[in-house]
Amino acid sequence: MNQNSKRREALLYHAKPTPGKIQVVPTKKYATQRDLSLAYSPGVAEPCLEIAKDINNVYKYTAKGNLVAVITNGTAVLGLGDIGPEASKPVMEGKALLFKIFADIDVFDIEVGTKDIDAFIETVKNIAPTFGGINLEDIKAPESFEIERRLVEELNIPVMHDDQHGTAIISSAALLNALELADKKTENVKVVVSGAGSAALACANLYVLLGIKADNIIMFDKDGVLSSERTDLSPLQQKYAKGLPNIDLKTALIGADVFLGLSAGNILKPDMLIGMANDPIVFAMANPIPEIDYDVAIATRKDIIMATGRSDHPNQVNNVLGFPYIFRGALDVRATKINEAMKMAAVRALAALAKEHVPEQVNIAYGETKLNFGRDYIIPKPFDPRLITTVAPAVARAAMESGVALHPIHDWNRYEEELAERMGSDNKMVRLLANRAKMNPKRIVFAEADHLDVLKAAQIVMEEGIGFPILLGNKDIILELKSELGFDAEVPIYDPKTKEEDERRLKYADIYWQSRQRRGISLLDAQKWMRERNYFAAMMVNEGDADALVTGYSRSYPSVIKPMMQLIDKAPGISLIATANMMMTNRGPMFLSDTAINPNPSAQDLAKIALMTAKTVRMFGLEPVIAMISYSNFGSSTNESAVKVREAVSYLHKYYPDMIIDGEIQTDFALNAEMLRKKFPFSKLAGKKVNTLIFPNLEAANITYKLLKELYNVDSIGPIILGMDKPVHIFQLGASVEEMVNMAAVAVVDAQEKEKKKNTD
């Protein structure tokens, strides 16, 4: 994509369909006059009076306890510098988005129009009663230090400047584990820091708390080493000033154990790295270009332990590992501040988490057979679902133990369960899916690439590294649309109807005819079919000229599935093809089957659909908890529809006793754990969180998933085809660009799984 196209896409993303990235959503009913009279006058007077009696009641009756202010004056915005408060607002809204999706914390972004320290502090103090915590963001140093120091002292709610402390906390966790792997003691290591801004100083300060001696830290800024002879240093920088007026970075690194980079790209040269001590620890965190290229570094020193700020290398130091969960823990105990004990608790929790067994969901997301604590895994991955239940409780405990918690937690098991429930508000599965696809991208045929939205999806798939598109359709139209989109990358384009593809088309026709000539297929029929793009595309996948196929944007599902069923075999041992949709609900991903193929499956068919769906759920790193849905509960009806569900469950209980599956059961009981526990405590689903629903017929499944999608704006991935021998997936008619990109990622993951199975058989 050219620069103009990228710019346009970014602007459209922020402008449409609603300007900005966040909104306020009511949490109470407001349908009736009675509701409104409770929400506002006269009912609202009652909580006001209770808060007037006891100010702490504000946490009981308002949203303050889960509301953080992200506040800036726009003086140090990302890599853009001093662009002003209005121009910083998109970044602050983005930070608000991260708070919500990772820790379910609500945010108001506040952009303050002053560079005066006193005026800024006074403004924040005046609005602080609104919030449970304050995240300072993108304020230039050294003003940021003074602003944070005073607000921490003068307010009784948590305040943290994430630009400083976020990087410090995450890199400190990585450093603890790196030192352990290198068998080095904190009190003995020599650290060289490139960069002397707010983040670098915060890192150095926290490293000292870990046990590293300040005298063993040498720090550089753009003007050279922080020397005691310099007169331009701030009081915080003077702490790391040494009597070394003429030393350069290369000399300082001789024998150094640790290099911390928060400065500029490519300033650490290979010869400097060679001069470091054995098992050098290098944190090159300049973005987007690290202080030394990762591949260059590991080629230069085989014994290196390296971290960067980039997601495409091991050991990403990413602030999202910290700030959402630090504020979560602080808010949940009503901490009056975020102190050093709480920061250190987050450091040690992150370090310890990296040593624990990694959930399969995380291994799958990163395309790893098994992530293990080691040089390429010294800090947890951002997609690790355990972060919220590990870091937040550690911070909350530290707040209590250090005496700054006003609302201590007593039942820690219940608290961790509540934290786990908050995970449902985030569509992590979509990111996990795309991330996994990127680990081993495949060639994907887009069979309707002469449609603008399909081509746009192919472009995103290409640019995001999800896969390598192969475009089918009218070549002239595709080239014209590519130009319109700024899709500059060279990709294969085929039009099955043209003479240009005669040789390939006739080859495919002959292969298909040879395999089906005794089943009523003539050579002429095969040649005619291969002029149709879906037949042509299916044969590309069959013959290994492509790894996966996506189609269906412009035609009805039955008309598109037909050529797939004719040309592509079922997977070994499979006698039935079905589909599942993965719905991104507020309780987490839900899998619904069969949503597109089998109108009225038998009991035996339902059992097969359940088994195939369970396999797909596991492909996404989740353990299937399956409810077989009906309008009746456990034998309450003798109707044929209910009986077949009951028989399917009976079969699965007998032959697959370890499966967590039960029914027949009504949907509300399946999804309401409390109702299920009280009414049907004998069920295999009691005490479990259902994530898979198998419906008695196509009508029920299809209506349900489309109802969820349209009424509640639930994202849907699917229908995912189950049981095919090749990675073939079909869009719903008129699918959105986002849905097609997600389906392409599913196709890549499916191809990865099939390749893995083939290699192990």
Side-chain angles (χ1 to χ4, degrees), residues 360-361 364-365 429 432-433 436 582 591 615-622 717 720 746 749:
E360 187 61 18
Q361 181 179 348
I364 286 173
M429 190 58 68
L432 289 168
L433 176 66
R436 183 179 174 191
M582 182 164 62
F591 293 81
K615 183 178 179 182
T616 299
V617 175
R618 290 191 186 97
M619 185 175 81
F620 288 98
L622 301 173
I717 298 179
I720 302 168
V746 167
V749 171

Side-chain angles (χ1 to χ4, degrees), residues 154-221:
E154 297 174 29
L155 292 177
N156 65 346
I157 57 174
V159 177
M160 188 172 83
H161 188 201
D162 183 50
D163 298 326
Q164 296 176 52
H165 303 295
T167 302
I169 289 164
I170 312 310
S171 72
S172 292
L175 183 60
L176 275 181
N177 284 338
L179 290 171
E180 179 179 329
L181 290 166
D183 194 22
K184 297 185 179 185
K185 304 295 184 183
T186 54
E187 62 269 21
N188 298 328
V189 297
K190 175 184 174 183
V191 180
V192 176
V193 182
S194 177
S198 58
L201 288 166
C203 287
N205 291 340
L206 207 51
Y207 292 0
V208 170
L209 289 179
L210 291 177
I212 291 174
K213 295 177 181 177
D215 287 344
N216 288 343
I217 298 175
I218 301 174
M219 188 174 290
F220 290 78
D221 65 7

Side-chain angles (χ1 to χ4, degrees), residues 624-665:
V625 180
I626 306 172
M628 301 284 278
I629 299 301
S630 177
Y631 65 87
S632 70
N633 286 312
F634 300 107
S636 63
S637 172
T638 57
N639 182 275
E640 179 183 351
S641 176
V643 169
K644 73 174 182 180
V645 177
R646 197 177 314 146
E647 290 175 351
V649 172
S650 178
Y651 172 84
L652 292 168
H653 279 179
K654 181 177 180 180
Y655 293 103
Y656 299 89
D658 293 334
M659 279 186 75
I660 306 173
I661 187 168
D662 217 339
E664 81 280 21
I665 188 171

Side-chain angles (χ1 to χ4, degrees), residues 66-102:
N66 196 50
L67 186 61
V68 165
V70 172
I71 304 183
T72 190
N73 59 2
T75 53
V77 181
L78 296 177
L80 305 174
D82 185 355
I83 58 174
E86 290 86 358
S88 75
K89 187 171 176 62
V91 179
M92 301 309 114
E93 288 187 355
K95 193 65 174 264
L97 185 71
L98 295 179
F99 266 107
K100 186 63 178 177
I101 66 174
F102 282 99

